Short mmCIF file of all heavy atoms in Angstrom, two decimals:
data_model
loop_
_atom_site.label_atom_id
_atom_site.label_comp_id
_atom_site.label_asym_id
_atom_site.label_seq_id
_atom_site.Cartn_x
_atom_site.Cartn_y
_atom_site.Cartn_z
N MET A 6 146.91 208.66 141.93
CA MET A 6 147.63 209.43 140.90
C MET A 6 147.50 208.72 139.61
O MET A 6 147.84 207.54 139.51
CB MET A 6 149.11 209.59 141.32
CG MET A 6 149.95 210.35 140.36
SD MET A 6 151.70 210.56 140.80
CE MET A 6 151.55 211.78 142.07
N THR A 7 147.18 209.40 138.57
CA THR A 7 147.02 208.84 137.21
C THR A 7 148.36 208.66 136.61
O THR A 7 149.40 209.38 137.03
CB THR A 7 146.08 209.71 136.36
OG1 THR A 7 146.78 210.94 136.08
CG2 THR A 7 144.75 209.96 136.96
N VAL A 8 148.39 207.95 135.47
CA VAL A 8 149.60 207.71 134.78
C VAL A 8 150.17 209.03 134.22
O VAL A 8 151.40 209.39 134.32
CB VAL A 8 149.49 206.68 133.64
CG1 VAL A 8 150.76 206.58 132.79
CG2 VAL A 8 149.11 205.36 134.21
N SER A 9 149.35 209.84 133.71
CA SER A 9 149.69 211.13 133.15
C SER A 9 150.35 212.09 134.23
O SER A 9 151.32 212.70 134.03
CB SER A 9 148.45 211.87 132.50
OG SER A 9 148.85 213.12 132.02
N GLN A 10 149.68 212.05 135.41
CA GLN A 10 150.23 212.87 136.54
C GLN A 10 151.49 212.32 137.00
O GLN A 10 152.46 213.12 137.27
CB GLN A 10 149.22 212.87 137.68
CG GLN A 10 147.92 213.63 137.43
CD GLN A 10 146.92 213.39 138.50
OE1 GLN A 10 146.91 212.45 139.18
NE2 GLN A 10 146.00 214.42 138.63
N HIS A 11 151.69 211.01 137.02
CA HIS A 11 152.95 210.44 137.48
C HIS A 11 154.05 210.82 136.46
O HIS A 11 155.15 211.19 136.88
CB HIS A 11 152.80 208.89 137.57
CG HIS A 11 153.99 208.23 138.02
ND1 HIS A 11 154.98 207.62 137.20
CD2 HIS A 11 154.49 208.07 139.32
CE1 HIS A 11 155.90 207.12 137.94
NE2 HIS A 11 155.68 207.35 139.24
N ARG A 12 153.78 210.74 135.12
CA ARG A 12 154.81 211.15 134.19
C ARG A 12 155.23 212.57 134.32
O ARG A 12 156.33 212.93 134.20
CB ARG A 12 154.24 210.82 132.70
CG ARG A 12 154.23 209.39 132.38
CD ARG A 12 153.75 209.14 131.02
NE ARG A 12 153.69 207.73 130.79
CZ ARG A 12 153.31 207.18 129.65
NH1 ARG A 12 152.91 207.96 128.66
NH2 ARG A 12 153.26 205.86 129.50
N GLN A 13 154.21 213.43 134.53
CA GLN A 13 154.52 214.85 134.62
C GLN A 13 155.39 215.11 135.90
O GLN A 13 156.28 215.95 135.90
CB GLN A 13 153.21 215.68 134.75
CG GLN A 13 152.48 215.78 133.46
CD GLN A 13 151.11 216.50 133.68
OE1 GLN A 13 150.66 216.78 134.76
NE2 GLN A 13 150.53 216.88 132.50
N LEU A 14 155.09 214.39 137.01
CA LEU A 14 155.89 214.55 138.21
C LEU A 14 157.33 214.05 138.04
O LEU A 14 158.26 214.68 138.39
CB LEU A 14 155.18 213.76 139.40
CG LEU A 14 155.94 213.72 140.70
CD1 LEU A 14 155.96 215.21 141.20
CD2 LEU A 14 155.24 212.89 141.67
N VAL A 15 157.52 212.87 137.38
CA VAL A 15 158.80 212.33 137.13
C VAL A 15 159.60 213.28 136.20
O VAL A 15 160.80 213.59 136.42
CB VAL A 15 158.75 210.98 136.47
CG1 VAL A 15 160.06 210.51 135.94
CG2 VAL A 15 158.23 209.92 137.48
N GLU A 16 158.98 213.83 135.16
CA GLU A 16 159.60 214.78 134.27
C GLU A 16 160.02 215.98 135.04
O GLU A 16 161.18 216.54 134.83
CB GLU A 16 158.67 215.09 133.08
CG GLU A 16 159.43 215.99 132.10
CD GLU A 16 158.50 216.25 130.82
OE1 GLU A 16 157.53 215.54 130.68
OE2 GLU A 16 158.84 217.18 130.09
N MET A 17 159.19 216.54 135.81
CA MET A 17 159.44 217.73 136.62
C MET A 17 160.61 217.57 137.57
O MET A 17 161.49 218.37 137.75
CB MET A 17 158.18 218.23 137.37
CG MET A 17 158.43 219.57 138.10
SD MET A 17 156.88 220.13 138.89
CE MET A 17 156.37 218.74 139.94
N LEU A 18 160.66 216.39 138.22
CA LEU A 18 161.68 216.18 139.28
C LEU A 18 163.05 215.69 138.66
O LEU A 18 164.06 216.06 139.18
CB LEU A 18 161.20 215.06 140.20
CG LEU A 18 160.06 215.44 141.07
CD1 LEU A 18 159.59 214.24 141.90
CD2 LEU A 18 160.30 216.61 142.03
N PHE A 19 163.06 214.94 137.61
CA PHE A 19 164.32 214.24 137.14
C PHE A 19 164.84 214.63 135.77
O PHE A 19 165.87 214.16 135.41
CB PHE A 19 164.11 212.73 137.24
CG PHE A 19 163.78 212.26 138.61
CD1 PHE A 19 162.54 211.79 138.87
CD2 PHE A 19 164.74 212.20 139.65
CE1 PHE A 19 162.18 211.32 140.16
CE2 PHE A 19 164.40 211.77 140.83
CZ PHE A 19 163.16 211.28 141.07
N CYS A 20 164.05 215.46 135.00
CA CYS A 20 164.50 215.71 133.68
C CYS A 20 164.79 217.16 133.39
O CYS A 20 164.27 218.06 134.11
CB CYS A 20 163.39 215.29 132.65
SG CYS A 20 162.95 213.53 132.80
N ARG A 21 165.60 217.37 132.50
CA ARG A 21 165.89 218.74 131.98
C ARG A 21 164.65 219.28 131.26
O ARG A 21 163.97 218.57 130.64
CB ARG A 21 167.07 218.80 131.06
CG ARG A 21 168.40 218.41 131.68
CD ARG A 21 169.51 218.65 130.71
NE ARG A 21 169.31 218.02 129.46
CZ ARG A 21 169.82 216.82 129.06
NH1 ARG A 21 170.59 216.14 129.88
NH2 ARG A 21 169.52 216.33 127.90
N PRO A 22 164.42 220.60 131.30
CA PRO A 22 163.27 221.15 130.58
C PRO A 22 163.39 220.84 129.05
O PRO A 22 164.36 221.10 128.48
CB PRO A 22 163.32 222.62 130.87
CG PRO A 22 164.11 222.77 132.10
CD PRO A 22 165.06 221.60 132.11
N GLY A 23 162.26 220.37 128.51
CA GLY A 23 162.25 220.08 127.13
C GLY A 23 162.93 218.81 126.65
O GLY A 23 163.12 218.60 125.38
N GLN A 24 163.39 217.97 127.58
CA GLN A 24 164.16 216.83 127.18
C GLN A 24 163.30 215.75 126.51
O GLN A 24 163.75 215.07 125.55
CB GLN A 24 164.76 216.16 128.46
CG GLN A 24 165.62 214.96 128.16
CD GLN A 24 166.23 214.33 129.42
OE1 GLN A 24 166.03 214.85 130.49
NE2 GLN A 24 166.98 213.26 129.24
N TRP A 25 162.08 215.59 126.91
CA TRP A 25 161.24 214.61 126.39
C TRP A 25 160.10 215.18 125.45
O TRP A 25 158.92 215.04 125.70
CB TRP A 25 160.53 213.74 127.50
CG TRP A 25 161.51 213.14 128.37
CD1 TRP A 25 161.91 213.51 129.63
CD2 TRP A 25 162.35 211.93 127.99
NE1 TRP A 25 162.89 212.59 130.09
CE2 TRP A 25 163.14 211.73 129.06
CE3 TRP A 25 162.47 211.16 126.84
CZ2 TRP A 25 164.07 210.65 129.08
CZ3 TRP A 25 163.35 210.10 126.87
CH2 TRP A 25 164.15 209.87 127.99
N GLN A 26 160.58 215.77 124.39
CA GLN A 26 159.64 216.38 123.42
C GLN A 26 159.19 215.25 122.41
O GLN A 26 159.95 214.37 122.07
CB GLN A 26 160.26 217.55 122.68
CG GLN A 26 160.60 218.70 123.54
CD GLN A 26 161.28 219.79 122.78
OE1 GLN A 26 161.55 219.74 121.66
NE2 GLN A 26 161.50 220.91 123.48
N ASN A 27 157.94 215.38 122.03
CA ASN A 27 157.48 214.42 120.95
C ASN A 27 158.02 214.75 119.67
O ASN A 27 158.05 215.90 119.24
CB ASN A 27 155.98 214.48 120.94
CG ASN A 27 155.25 213.96 122.23
OD1 ASN A 27 155.85 213.13 122.89
ND2 ASN A 27 154.07 214.43 122.47
N LEU A 28 158.52 213.71 118.99
CA LEU A 28 159.12 213.92 117.69
C LEU A 28 158.18 213.38 116.66
O LEU A 28 157.49 212.35 116.80
CB LEU A 28 160.43 213.13 117.54
CG LEU A 28 161.52 213.55 118.56
CD1 LEU A 28 162.71 212.61 118.35
CD2 LEU A 28 161.90 214.93 118.29
N SER A 29 158.05 214.10 115.56
CA SER A 29 157.14 213.73 114.47
C SER A 29 157.99 212.85 113.52
O SER A 29 158.87 213.33 112.76
CB SER A 29 156.69 214.90 113.73
OG SER A 29 155.87 214.52 112.61
N THR A 30 157.82 211.51 113.58
CA THR A 30 158.49 210.61 112.78
C THR A 30 157.55 209.82 111.91
O THR A 30 156.40 209.58 112.22
CB THR A 30 159.34 209.61 113.59
OG1 THR A 30 158.39 208.88 114.44
CG2 THR A 30 160.36 210.29 114.45
N PRO A 31 158.01 209.42 110.70
CA PRO A 31 157.09 208.61 109.85
C PRO A 31 156.88 207.23 110.34
O PRO A 31 157.58 206.71 111.10
CB PRO A 31 157.88 208.56 108.51
CG PRO A 31 159.31 208.74 108.84
CD PRO A 31 159.32 209.62 110.07
N GLY A 32 155.73 206.65 109.96
CA GLY A 32 155.37 205.30 110.37
C GLY A 32 156.23 204.27 109.71
O GLY A 32 157.05 204.60 108.89
N GLU A 33 155.95 203.04 109.99
CA GLU A 33 156.79 201.91 109.43
C GLU A 33 156.67 201.88 107.90
O GLU A 33 157.68 201.76 107.21
CB GLU A 33 156.37 200.62 110.11
CG GLU A 33 156.76 200.47 111.55
CD GLU A 33 156.23 199.17 112.10
OE1 GLU A 33 155.55 198.41 111.42
OE2 GLU A 33 156.47 198.99 113.33
N LEU A 34 155.46 201.90 107.41
CA LEU A 34 155.28 201.81 105.95
C LEU A 34 155.88 203.07 105.21
O LEU A 34 156.49 202.89 104.19
CB LEU A 34 153.83 201.68 105.58
CG LEU A 34 153.16 200.32 106.05
CD1 LEU A 34 151.64 200.38 105.70
CD2 LEU A 34 153.82 199.14 105.38
N ARG A 35 155.70 204.23 105.81
CA ARG A 35 156.32 205.39 105.20
C ARG A 35 157.80 205.37 105.18
O ARG A 35 158.45 205.67 104.20
CB ARG A 35 155.76 206.65 105.94
CG ARG A 35 156.35 207.94 105.49
CD ARG A 35 155.65 208.40 104.31
NE ARG A 35 156.07 209.79 103.99
CZ ARG A 35 156.37 210.21 102.83
NH1 ARG A 35 156.15 209.45 101.78
NH2 ARG A 35 156.87 211.44 102.63
N SER A 36 158.41 204.82 106.33
CA SER A 36 159.83 204.68 106.38
C SER A 36 160.31 203.69 105.34
O SER A 36 161.39 203.86 104.70
CB SER A 36 160.24 204.21 107.81
OG SER A 36 159.96 205.23 108.75
N LEU A 37 159.63 202.55 105.22
CA LEU A 37 160.02 201.52 104.16
C LEU A 37 159.98 202.15 102.80
O LEU A 37 160.88 201.96 102.02
CB LEU A 37 159.05 200.34 104.28
CG LEU A 37 159.39 199.22 103.36
CD1 LEU A 37 160.80 198.61 103.60
CD2 LEU A 37 158.33 198.14 103.51
N TRP A 38 158.93 202.93 102.50
CA TRP A 38 158.80 203.57 101.23
C TRP A 38 159.91 204.54 100.99
O TRP A 38 160.54 204.56 99.88
CB TRP A 38 157.48 204.32 101.10
CG TRP A 38 157.36 205.18 99.93
CD1 TRP A 38 157.31 206.54 99.88
CD2 TRP A 38 157.43 204.83 98.51
NE1 TRP A 38 157.28 207.01 98.59
CE2 TRP A 38 157.32 205.98 97.77
CE3 TRP A 38 157.47 203.61 97.90
CZ2 TRP A 38 157.37 206.00 96.37
CZ3 TRP A 38 157.52 203.55 96.49
CH2 TRP A 38 157.43 204.77 95.72
N LEU A 39 160.29 205.31 101.97
CA LEU A 39 161.40 206.28 101.83
C LEU A 39 162.71 205.58 101.59
O LEU A 39 163.56 206.01 100.74
CB LEU A 39 161.55 207.14 103.10
CG LEU A 39 160.35 208.17 103.21
CD1 LEU A 39 160.52 208.82 104.63
CD2 LEU A 39 160.33 209.22 102.14
N LEU A 40 162.95 204.45 102.31
CA LEU A 40 164.18 203.66 102.08
C LEU A 40 164.30 203.12 100.72
O LEU A 40 165.31 203.14 100.03
CB LEU A 40 164.29 202.56 103.09
CG LEU A 40 164.72 202.97 104.54
CD1 LEU A 40 164.56 201.78 105.49
CD2 LEU A 40 166.08 203.52 104.54
N LEU A 41 163.17 202.47 100.26
CA LEU A 41 163.17 201.93 98.88
C LEU A 41 163.38 203.00 97.83
O LEU A 41 164.09 202.83 96.85
CB LEU A 41 161.85 201.30 98.60
CG LEU A 41 161.65 199.87 99.40
CD1 LEU A 41 160.32 199.33 99.18
CD2 LEU A 41 162.71 198.87 98.98
N ARG A 42 162.78 204.18 98.02
CA ARG A 42 162.95 205.27 97.08
C ARG A 42 164.36 205.73 96.95
O ARG A 42 164.91 205.97 95.89
CB ARG A 42 161.97 206.39 97.51
CG ARG A 42 161.68 207.33 96.38
CD ARG A 42 160.71 208.36 96.67
NE ARG A 42 161.37 209.51 97.27
CZ ARG A 42 160.70 210.51 97.88
NH1 ARG A 42 159.46 210.49 97.99
NH2 ARG A 42 161.40 211.49 98.32
N VAL A 43 165.03 205.83 98.12
CA VAL A 43 166.39 206.26 98.12
C VAL A 43 167.36 205.16 97.45
O VAL A 43 168.22 205.57 96.76
CB VAL A 43 166.93 206.53 99.56
CG1 VAL A 43 168.38 206.68 99.68
CG2 VAL A 43 166.24 207.78 100.08
N LEU A 44 167.04 203.94 97.74
CA LEU A 44 167.85 202.86 97.14
C LEU A 44 167.65 202.71 95.65
O LEU A 44 168.62 202.50 94.91
CB LEU A 44 167.56 201.53 97.85
CG LEU A 44 168.04 201.40 99.29
CD1 LEU A 44 167.56 200.11 99.89
CD2 LEU A 44 169.51 201.50 99.39
N LEU A 45 166.40 202.90 95.14
CA LEU A 45 166.16 202.70 93.76
C LEU A 45 166.41 203.99 92.90
O LEU A 45 166.70 203.82 91.74
CB LEU A 45 164.67 202.29 93.61
CG LEU A 45 164.33 200.94 94.13
CD1 LEU A 45 162.81 200.69 94.07
CD2 LEU A 45 165.12 199.84 93.57
N LYS A 46 166.41 205.12 93.56
CA LYS A 46 166.68 206.33 92.80
C LYS A 46 167.54 207.28 93.62
O LYS A 46 167.05 208.23 94.19
CB LYS A 46 165.32 207.08 92.48
CG LYS A 46 165.42 208.16 91.51
CD LYS A 46 164.03 208.72 91.20
CE LYS A 46 164.17 209.91 90.28
NZ LYS A 46 162.86 210.43 90.01
N PRO A 47 168.85 206.98 93.66
CA PRO A 47 169.70 207.90 94.43
C PRO A 47 169.80 209.29 93.84
O PRO A 47 169.81 209.50 92.70
CB PRO A 47 171.17 207.23 94.27
CG PRO A 47 170.92 205.90 93.71
CD PRO A 47 169.58 205.83 93.03
N LYS A 48 169.90 210.31 94.79
CA LYS A 48 169.81 211.67 94.38
C LYS A 48 171.05 212.08 93.52
O LYS A 48 170.91 212.87 92.62
CB LYS A 48 169.67 212.51 95.62
CG LYS A 48 169.43 213.97 95.33
CD LYS A 48 169.25 214.81 96.57
CE LYS A 48 169.03 216.27 96.21
NZ LYS A 48 168.86 217.04 97.30
N LEU A 49 172.17 211.53 93.89
CA LEU A 49 173.40 211.91 93.18
C LEU A 49 173.33 211.51 91.70
O LEU A 49 173.90 212.31 90.87
CB LEU A 49 174.64 211.21 93.82
CG LEU A 49 174.98 211.71 95.22
CD1 LEU A 49 176.08 210.88 95.82
CD2 LEU A 49 175.34 213.14 95.30
N ILE A 50 172.73 210.46 91.41
CA ILE A 50 172.65 210.01 89.97
C ILE A 50 171.49 210.66 89.20
O ILE A 50 171.70 211.07 88.10
CB ILE A 50 172.48 208.45 89.90
CG1 ILE A 50 173.77 207.76 90.53
CG2 ILE A 50 172.31 208.01 88.51
CD1 ILE A 50 173.55 206.30 90.71
N PHE A 51 170.38 210.85 89.88
CA PHE A 51 169.20 211.35 89.20
C PHE A 51 168.80 212.72 89.65
O PHE A 51 167.61 213.09 89.63
CB PHE A 51 168.05 210.43 89.44
CG PHE A 51 168.20 208.98 88.86
CD1 PHE A 51 168.58 207.97 89.69
CD2 PHE A 51 168.09 208.80 87.54
CE1 PHE A 51 168.77 206.71 89.15
CE2 PHE A 51 168.29 207.51 86.97
CZ PHE A 51 168.61 206.43 87.84
N ASP A 52 169.78 213.56 89.95
CA ASP A 52 169.50 214.92 90.42
C ASP A 52 169.00 215.69 89.20
O ASP A 52 169.62 215.68 88.10
CB ASP A 52 170.77 215.53 90.93
CG ASP A 52 170.51 216.81 91.76
OD1 ASP A 52 169.26 217.10 91.92
OD2 ASP A 52 171.49 217.44 92.27
N ARG A 53 167.86 216.39 89.37
CA ARG A 53 167.29 217.15 88.26
C ARG A 53 168.12 218.39 87.94
O ARG A 53 168.14 218.79 86.77
CB ARG A 53 165.86 217.57 88.63
CG ARG A 53 164.89 216.45 88.69
CD ARG A 53 163.55 216.88 89.03
NE ARG A 53 162.62 215.80 89.14
CZ ARG A 53 161.33 215.88 89.27
NH1 ARG A 53 160.76 217.04 89.37
NH2 ARG A 53 160.66 214.75 89.44
N LYS A 54 168.76 218.98 88.85
CA LYS A 54 169.62 220.14 88.62
C LYS A 54 171.07 219.71 88.64
O LYS A 54 171.65 219.52 89.72
CB LYS A 54 169.40 221.26 89.68
CG LYS A 54 167.97 221.79 89.60
CD LYS A 54 167.84 222.81 90.66
CE LYS A 54 166.45 223.35 90.66
NZ LYS A 54 166.19 224.28 91.76
N PRO A 55 171.69 219.49 87.48
CA PRO A 55 173.12 218.94 87.57
C PRO A 55 174.04 220.03 88.26
O PRO A 55 173.92 221.21 87.97
CB PRO A 55 173.49 218.70 86.06
CG PRO A 55 172.49 219.51 85.28
CD PRO A 55 171.25 219.64 86.15
N ARG A 56 174.89 219.51 89.03
CA ARG A 56 175.85 220.46 89.71
C ARG A 56 177.07 220.54 88.87
O ARG A 56 177.71 219.54 88.47
CB ARG A 56 176.20 219.87 91.09
CG ARG A 56 175.02 219.86 92.04
CD ARG A 56 175.36 219.25 93.27
NE ARG A 56 174.20 219.12 94.18
CZ ARG A 56 174.20 218.42 95.26
NH1 ARG A 56 175.29 217.87 95.70
NH2 ARG A 56 173.08 218.32 95.95
N ILE A 57 177.44 221.80 88.54
CA ILE A 57 178.65 222.00 87.73
C ILE A 57 179.68 222.63 88.61
O ILE A 57 179.48 223.59 89.29
CB ILE A 57 178.33 223.00 86.57
CG1 ILE A 57 177.23 222.39 85.65
CG2 ILE A 57 179.61 223.25 85.79
CD1 ILE A 57 176.73 223.26 84.55
N THR A 58 180.83 221.94 88.72
CA THR A 58 181.95 222.41 89.56
C THR A 58 183.06 222.86 88.59
O THR A 58 183.44 222.12 87.71
CB THR A 58 182.41 221.38 90.52
OG1 THR A 58 182.79 220.25 89.76
CG2 THR A 58 181.33 221.00 91.45
N ALA A 59 183.49 224.00 88.76
CA ALA A 59 184.54 224.56 87.95
C ALA A 59 185.79 224.77 88.84
O ALA A 59 185.71 225.27 89.95
CB ALA A 59 184.15 225.88 87.40
N ILE A 60 186.97 224.40 88.32
CA ILE A 60 188.19 224.56 89.03
C ILE A 60 188.92 225.72 88.33
O ILE A 60 189.18 225.66 87.11
CB ILE A 60 189.03 223.33 89.00
CG1 ILE A 60 188.32 222.18 89.64
CG2 ILE A 60 190.43 223.57 89.59
CD1 ILE A 60 189.07 220.83 89.56
N ALA A 61 189.19 226.78 89.06
CA ALA A 61 189.83 227.92 88.52
C ALA A 61 191.34 227.56 88.38
O ALA A 61 192.00 227.24 89.33
CB ALA A 61 189.62 229.16 89.41
N VAL A 62 191.84 227.75 87.15
CA VAL A 62 193.26 227.58 86.89
C VAL A 62 193.92 228.90 86.69
O VAL A 62 193.53 229.69 85.79
CB VAL A 62 193.43 226.72 85.67
CG1 VAL A 62 194.87 226.46 85.37
CG2 VAL A 62 192.69 225.39 85.86
N HIS A 63 194.83 229.19 87.54
CA HIS A 63 195.58 230.50 87.38
C HIS A 63 196.74 230.31 86.47
O HIS A 63 197.58 229.44 86.55
CB HIS A 63 196.10 230.95 88.76
CG HIS A 63 194.97 231.16 89.73
ND1 HIS A 63 194.19 232.29 89.64
CD2 HIS A 63 194.55 230.45 90.83
CE1 HIS A 63 193.25 232.17 90.63
NE2 HIS A 63 193.52 231.15 91.38
N GLN A 64 196.78 231.18 85.42
CA GLN A 64 197.88 231.17 84.47
C GLN A 64 198.89 232.22 84.86
O GLN A 64 198.58 233.30 85.26
CB GLN A 64 197.41 231.41 83.07
CG GLN A 64 196.43 230.42 82.51
CD GLN A 64 195.95 230.77 81.20
OE1 GLN A 64 196.15 231.77 80.66
NE2 GLN A 64 195.22 229.77 80.60
N HIS A 65 200.14 231.89 84.80
CA HIS A 65 201.21 232.86 85.13
C HIS A 65 201.86 233.26 83.93
O HIS A 65 202.21 232.74 83.01
CB HIS A 65 202.25 232.17 86.10
CG HIS A 65 201.67 231.85 87.38
ND1 HIS A 65 201.42 232.82 88.35
CD2 HIS A 65 201.25 230.66 87.92
CE1 HIS A 65 200.96 232.21 89.52
NE2 HIS A 65 200.80 230.88 89.19
#
């Protein structure tokens, strides 16, 4: 039995359907770049579209 066949058999016998799906994750260098980018340029400070929040004041 090949390794691939063994893995398929184990998944079929012991796992829920779809439990071991491959995830698309960035590599180490890409992850490091994303972390540095977030630390050096936080979105809250350098957001291109400023968020305007208005508080409605009811006058009596």
Side-chain angles (χ1 to χ4, degrees):
M6 178 180 284
T7 66
V8 174
S9 178
Q10 291 172 334
H11 184 263
R12 287 182 182 179
Q13 288 176 348
L14 180 62
V15 169
E16 184 176 346
M17 184 175 55
L18 294 175
F19 301 108
C20 300
R21 295 185 309 260
Q24 181 179 1
W25 300 105
Q26 295 178 356
N27 292 333
L28 300 176
S29 177
T30 57
E33 292 176 358
L34 291 177
R35 177 82 171 137
S36 296
L37 181 62
W38 168 247
L39 292 172
L40 284 172
L41 288 174
R42 199 171 91 188
V43 168
L44 290 174
L45 295 176
K46 189 175 176 183
K48 186 176 181 179
L49 293 175
I50 297 172
F51 297 102
D52 196 2
R53 291 184 182 183
K54 297 178 184 176
R56 296 177 185 170
I57 300 173
T58 57
I60 300 174
V62 178
H63 298 287
Q64 296 179 351
H65 294 283

